[in-house]
Amino acid sequence: MIKYSIIIPVYGCEKYLNACVQSVLNQKGSHNYEIILVDDGSKDRSGEIADKLAEQYEQVKTVHKKNNGVSSARNRGIQEAKGKYILFIDADDTVDENYLENINRLQNTDEPSMIIFGVSFDYYRNDKLEYSDKLSCAHCGSYAVDKVFLEYKSFFYDNALSGVWNKVFIAEKIKRHGLFFNEGMTLYEDYDFVLRYLMCVESVICLDKVLYHYRNNLNDMHINHRVFDLVNVKDNLKHLLTTVNSIKDTQKCQLISSQLLDVSANLYLQFLMQNLMIKKYSVSELQESLNKYCDEYNFRKILASGANLKEKESLLIRQIDNGEFRQINFKYKNKRLIYNIKKILKQLLRKTGLRR
């Protein structure tokens, strides 16, 4: 039996696909794995490159399908997978040469339901690496899933829950519980999948080694079209809320609901910054739009009682200055813009009852 099925969705990645696949093929040690390249109707030469790789290497298999997004491609990969474990890699990323060796070592000493490892966020300009942010889960070691939920917020901000590319999943768990990606989501679809997977497993191992390299292109980071439309943001949040509401364990549901507010505010802020930067809306127009949105979609219903709202607000503000938006601020350093975003965020929190 194949041990690892490595699923790589392929779309518009002719420039990076070979390097991605080679990073797996060049692993240290001997490993039993398959690489499943799912061509999601690429319009460039990505599909052709995938076919050539499949012809050249017996570990590589290519599947072609009509374009329907990354979630659809990953789902097709899950259907094709023959391995005991499933891993996901994005076609413009790479993995460390010790990727499988480190994963294999953990599985030889324990049998975790999920392995989480560190990520290097690599920022390139004109194909030259400018800097890297390495992020590993501070919770190194083995944890029962109940413990993960008790410290849910901390795990989330260690980037331990939001992506699928820094994890190892058990194929049988995925297939037995029908844990496919929600193809109606274009934002946080990874987080939604991981959340549903955690509800079906018993244990997690966190490894503090950086094994995955996530490519960011600084030449093309000023617009994220997935958060360009407020309706799209709203629809994705509804999908996440549906997942949370399906959780029968009351305590876990409350802990995740509390965290979902941060996810929501994060999406608001991304939308806000995207549109301010291209000057599609004025600050006042955005404020009016977002306030109306909060009236229609009242997040008080999903907040856990007794949440530390002051700490939550501080964290959101800190995200703007130092966190996820640093790549935007790197290029667009406008103190007045940041001031206005903070002001609007505080008004939104007050509007939804999160700030007194």
Side-chain angles (χ1 to χ4, degrees), residues 9 40 68-75 90 181 185 189-190 226:
D40 191 39
N68 197 31
V70 66
S71 291
S72 174
R74 286 170 174 164
N75 287 341
D90 287 349
F181 288 83
M185 296 182 72
E189 68 276 6
D190 290 30
R226 296 188 303 165

Side-chain angles (χ1 to χ4, degrees), residues 21 25 34-35 37 50 53-55 57-62:
V21 173
L25 294 170
E34 63 176 353
I35 301 172
L37 304 178
L53 287 165
E55 290 175 6
Y57 301 100
E58 63 178 1
Q59 302 100 316
V60 181
K61 172 184 179 181
T62 298

Side-chain angles (χ1 to χ4, degrees), residues 30-294:
S30 178
H31 305 283
N32 183 12
Y33 64 89
E34 63 176 353
I35 301 172
I36 304 172
L37 304 178
V38 184
D39 173 29
D40 191 39
S42 294
K43 296 179 181 179
D44 64 358
R45 294 180 55 251
S46 297
E48 178 185 338
I49 294 169
D51 283 337
K52 288 182 178 178
L53 287 165
E55 290 175 6
Q56 189 175 359
Y57 301 100
E58 63 178 1
Q59 302 100 316
V60 181
K61 172 184 179 181
T62 298
V63 178
H64 298 276
K65 61 181 288 297
K66 291 182 179 180
N67 177 254
N68 197 31
V70 66
S71 291
S72 174
R74 286 170 174 164
N75 287 341
R76 179 63 183 274
I78 290 171
Q79 292 170 345
E80 298 285 339
K82 295 180 173 60
K84 181 178 180 180
Y85 301 100
I86 289 179
L87 303 91
F88 298 96
I89 302 177
D90 287 349
D92 53 350
D93 298 337
T94 58
V95 293
D96 187 82
E97 62 183 3
N98 297 308
Y99 173 68
L100 290 178
E101 192 172 82
N102 277 282
I103 291 168
N104 206 48
R105 189 179 298 119
L106 285 177
Q107 288 166 337
N108 288 338
T109 57
D110 205 340
E111 188 67 26
S113 301
M114 183 165 73
I115 296 174
I116 304 172
F117 44 84
V119 181
S120 177
F121 294 94
D122 299 334
Y123 293 85
Y124 289 83
R125 191 185 301 278
N126 300 325
D127 289 328
K128 292 183 179 180
L129 180 65
E130 285 207 358
Y131 64 94
S132 296
D133 282 336
K134 291 179 170 57
L135 184 61
S136 296
C137 185
H139 300 74
C140 184
S142 181
Y143 293 86
V145 166
D146 287 345
K147 176 70 170 177
V148 174
F149 281 104
L150 286 174
E151 299 184 23
Y152 194 78
K153 180 176 180 179
S154 178
F155 274 91
F156 184 88
Y157 284 105
D158 275 347
N159 203 50
L161 301 177
S162 54
V164 294
W165 19 257
N166 66 331
K167 296 176 178 62
V168 182
F169 303 92
I170 296 177
E172 187 271 336
K173 298 278 188 184
I174 290 175
K175 294 179 180 181
R176 175 153 55 94
H177 295 281
L179 299 176
F180 293 99
F181 288 83
N182 187 330
E183 296 182 16
M185 296 182 72
T186 55
L187 296 161
Y188 283 102
E189 68 276 6
D190 290 30
Y191 177 42
D192 180 75
F193 178 85
V194 171
L195 180 56
R196 287 184 284 117
Y197 183 86
L198 282 172
M199 300 309 301
C200 302
V201 299
E202 300 78 34
S203 61
V204 170
I205 282 186
C206 296
L207 180 66
D208 60 357
K209 294 181 182 294
V210 170
L211 302 180
Y212 192 94
H213 289 267
Y214 189 103
R215 171 181 283 269
N216 292 280
N217 185 1
L218 289 168
N219 296 105
D220 189 32
M221 292 191 68
H222 58 292
I223 294 296
N224 181 349
H225 293 282
R226 296 188 303 165
V227 292
F228 194 70
D229 182 3
L230 190 60
V231 174
N232 184 38
V233 171
K234 181 176 180 178
D235 287 345
N236 279 274
L237 289 175
K238 282 186 174 179
H239 283 302
L240 263 179
L241 183 58
T242 299
T243 294
V244 173
N245 285 339
S246 69
I247 297 171
K248 296 178 181 179
D249 186 309
T250 304
Q251 183 184 27
K252 289 179 181 178
C253 187
Q254 287 181 342
L255 290 166
I256 299 166
S257 295
S258 152
Q259 183 62 47
L260 189 53
L261 173 72
D262 292 353
V263 173
S264 306
N266 185 16
L267 288 173
Y268 283 147
L269 290 169
Q270 289 188 58
F271 171 81
L272 184 64
M273 293 191 75
Q274 299 286 353
N275 286 286
L276 279 173
M277 287 180 66
I278 64 166
K279 299 180 180 178
K280 182 177 180 181
Y281 297 115
S282 67
V283 171
S284 60
E285 287 172 333
L286 274 169
Q287 183 176 329
E288 181 181 354
S289 174
L290 290 170
N291 282 339
K292 182 179 179 182
Y293 178 93
C294 288

